[in-house]
Amino acid sequence: MVSSATAGHQQGGDMTQHPRTRETALHDWDLAPKEAIALQRTLAGRLIREDALGEVEHIAGVDIGFEDGGDTTRAAVVVLSWPGLAPIEQVVARQPTRMPYVPGLLSFREIPAALAAFERLDSRVDLVMVDGHGIAHPRRLGVAAHLGLWLDLPTLGVAKKRLTGRHGEVPEGRAESTDLMDGDERIGVVLRSRAGVKPVFVSPGHRLSVDSARAWAVACLGRYKLPEPTRLADRLASRR
C-alpha cells in the first residue's frame, strides 16, 4: 500500500524539488537517429532503478500529443494533490516538433514540449506519471525514463500498448497484474486497471522500482481505465 510518504524508502533527506529543468542540459536535441539511439543506451545506464523518492505531496500527470500534422508538439501537465488526487494546477505548452517520427525515439519528439510545460508550473512536483513507457522500451529509455533524467524526479510510465517484452494472461479482477518480461529481466507489469477492460502497461522510469511503479499506478486508479494523473492530462490535452 502506498503511503503519503513514499512507495519505497526515503534516501538522504528531502529529495523533492520544484519542477524546473536542470541548469546544465542533459544533451542536445538536434541529433540524427543513429546518434539518438546511441545516446539512449548511454542514458539508460544512468537511470536509478530503485526507490529514491521522498515525501509525496504532489503528483504530475503528463500527456504529449501533436498538432498541425505533427509539426507542433503539445504537452499537457496536470498537478494533483496526494493523497486526495485533487487537481491544483494545469499547463499546456506547445513547441515546434524537433524530430520526425522514428519508432523507439518518441521521447526526442515529445520531451522538449514537456520540459517547457514543467518550466511554467508554480507547484513543486514529487512524482511524475507519464502517458507512455518507462524502461519497458527496447533500449530501456521510454519517454517516462528520459523525462525523469531531465527533471531528476521519480517517474513512471502508464502506456496503453505494449512496446516490448512478453507477458502471460492478466487476471480479470481490478488491480490484478502480471509481470512484463524481456528475457529474464522484469521491466514492468501489465495491469488490469478495471475489470472487463484491456490492461495498461506500467513501468518505472527513474528513481522507482517496478513494484513501486505498480503500487503508485494502482493507488491512483479511480473509476476509469487510466490512473487519475494521466487521465486528467489526457483530458486536458484533448480539451475534453
Side-chain angles (χ1 to χ4, degrees):
M1 182 66 179
V2 176
S3 71
S4 61
T6 176
H9 61 278
Q10 187 167 345
Q11 297 183 353
D14 184 7
M15 300 188 71
T16 60
Q17 65 183 57
H18 193 277
R20 299 304 187 203
T21 54
R22 60 179 66 231
E23 293 182 4
T24 303
L26 189 64
H27 59 77
D28 293 330
W29 292 106
D30 187 17
L31 299 174
K34 286 185 178 180
E35 295 173 314
I37 289 170
L39 180 60
Q40 282 182 324
R41 294 191 173 102
T42 298
L43 293 178
R46 296 173 58 178
L47 292 172
I48 298 173
R49 292 173 59 170
E50 59 186 21
D51 295 325
L53 69 165
E55 186 85 11
V56 175
E57 296 180 354
H58 296 147
I59 301 175
V62 182
D63 182 77
I64 302 164
F66 298 90
E67 301 173 346
D68 306 323
D71 291 338
T72 301
T73 307
R74 177 195 66 249
V77 178
V78 177
V79 180
L80 294 82
S81 65
W82 175 260
L85 293 177
I88 59 175
E89 188 177 4
Q90 60 184 36
V91 171
V92 175
R94 292 174 173 83
Q95 286 202 344
T97 300
R98 302 289 188 97
M99 180 182 281
Y101 172 76
V102 180
L105 296 179
L106 292 184
S107 64
F108 290 87
R109 282 168 59 85
E110 298 177 349
I111 286 179
L115 294 176
F118 274 92
E119 285 280 0
R120 298 179 186 178
L121 290 177
D122 292 322
S123 305
R124 185 190 70 189
V125 170
D126 308 304
L127 177 68
V128 181
M129 184 180 295
V130 183
D131 186 338
H133 292 282
I135 65 168
H137 178 278
R139 290 174 291 279
R140 304 297 181 262
L141 200 80
V143 61
H146 200 163
L147 182 61
L149 283 173
W150 268 96
L151 298 175
D152 192 22
L153 284 172
T155 56
L156 67 147
V158 180
K160 303 177 188 72
K161 296 181 179 180
R162 181 181 63 87
L163 182 60
T164 193
R166 56 179 175 77
H167 62 89
E169 291 295 323
V170 184
E172 289 296 329
R174 181 184 185 274
E176 296 283 355
S177 66
T178 190
D179 288 342
L180 180 64
M181 304 293 296
D182 191 352
D184 295 330
E185 185 180 2
R186 184 176 179 234
I187 58 175
V189 299
V190 189
L191 174 68
R192 185 84 64 187
S193 54
R194 286 187 64 196
V197 301
K198 291 183 178 180
V200 294
F201 296 82
V202 178
S203 60
H206 183 45
R207 290 171 50 178
L208 279 185
S209 65
V210 171
D211 287 337
S212 287
R214 182 197 181 282
W216 279 108
V218 170
C220 291
L221 291 177
R223 297 185 295 114
Y224 302 91
K225 175 178 177 175
L226 295 178
E228 285 298 285
T230 51
R231 184 186 75 83
L232 292 176
D234 175 78
R235 189 175 71 172
L236 174 64
S238 303
R239 297 187 179 87
R240 292 197 299 272

